[in-house]
Amino acid sequence: MSTTPDRILRFKEVQSRIGGYSRMHVDRLEKAEKFPKRVQIGANAVGWMESDIVAWVASRTRGLHAPIIADVTDAAEIPDDTPDPPKVPRKRGRPPGPAHQPAH
């Protein structure tokens, strides 16, 4: 029984497999423990285990193609009577700080 060893992927290959995320986004996901950890492969080189990336992609895409079970006709019969919230005017500029408070 022959098993192929797990490859180490560099960032460019990882990026092409995960949909073009930036290096910064991958770093954030990794810090939040939502992405596989990198492995050190040299003094200034890192990579990711191919099996970890494949499993991560599979976990992200699982359920995307599942059938949606909903009765659209029931939802269409229920009127949406909730009023829209009033629009609040957006303030521009910096908020007044202690230097901008009127003297008493």
Side-chain angles (χ1 to χ4, degrees), residues 41-83:
I41 57 176
N44 294 316
V46 296
W48 288 263
M49 301 305 292
E50 184 177 27
S51 60
D52 292 344
I53 299 302
V54 169
W56 184 83
V57 169
S59 74
R60 301 286 290 193
T61 58
R62 196 173 301 124
L64 287 181
H65 303 290
I68 299 172
I69 302 172
D71 190 359
V72 179
T73 57
D74 289 345
E77 293 173 5
I78 301 171
D80 184 18
D81 293 334
T82 56

